[in-house]
Amino acid sequence: AMFPTLDADLVRSIYAEAQTPQDAVDTLLALTVAADPMEVPLPTLPPLEVGMDDHDKFPALTDAEGWQVANQKLFDRDPEEDLGSAWRDRAKAAQHMPAPKAAVASAKPRSGPAKAKKED
């Protein structure tokens, strides 16, 4: 499945004959790059919409007795409590400030070879 433009039997034989899995992958990647992409049509990709709003595909998490599992913080929180706006207030206060200048790293040559740290 990782190499759809190559024959499955070829992939298996290269994998079986390679000394390491990394050697097999390197060979298969080289063959894939060398192959003409116009010879073999690429497989059609599935649609991006997976239907997360569909409760049949993604049902609610329930316990052994059938009760829906909820976050304890939702029960502990006071529904009338103000959640605050510190992040919003900081963003509004900073909107008229100039952007910070980019830091420029100095390219100073080292005076000698780096010394290795001694291990205890």
Side-chain angles (χ1 to χ4, degrees):
M2 288 177 56
F3 303 100
T5 58
L6 299 177
D7 182 53
D9 292 331
L10 174 66
V11 172
R12 285 188 204 99
S13 67
I14 289 175
Y15 181 77
E17 293 175 5
Q19 291 182 359
T20 65
Q22 185 61 46
D23 289 341
V25 170
D26 291 341
T27 303
L28 293 169
L29 286 173
L31 288 173
T32 303
V33 169
D36 186 12
M38 298 308 288
E39 288 181 15
V40 180
L42 293 176
T44 306
L45 297 176
L48 292 176
E49 180 59 40
V50 293
M52 290 184 66
D53 295 333
D54 185 358
H55 293 289
D56 292 330
K57 291 182 182 177
F58 295 95
L61 182 61
T62 57
D63 65 6
E65 296 173 359
W67 288 89
Q68 184 173 349
V69 177
N71 188 341
Q72 185 62 37
K73 290 181 181 179
L74 294 175
F75 295 116
D76 295 340
R77 188 178 74 79
D78 180 16
E80 302 297 322
E81 174 188 5
D82 182 19
L83 297 178
S85 59
W87 67 270
R88 183 198 64 206
D89 297 340
R90 287 184 184 173
K92 282 185 177 182
Q95 71 182 1
H96 298 294
M97 296 173 67
K101 295 181 181 178
V104 179
S106 64
K108 230 166 68 171
R110 290 186 153 175
S111 60
K115 293 182 181 178
K117 292 183 178 178
K118 292 182 182 180
E119 293 184 17
D120 292 329

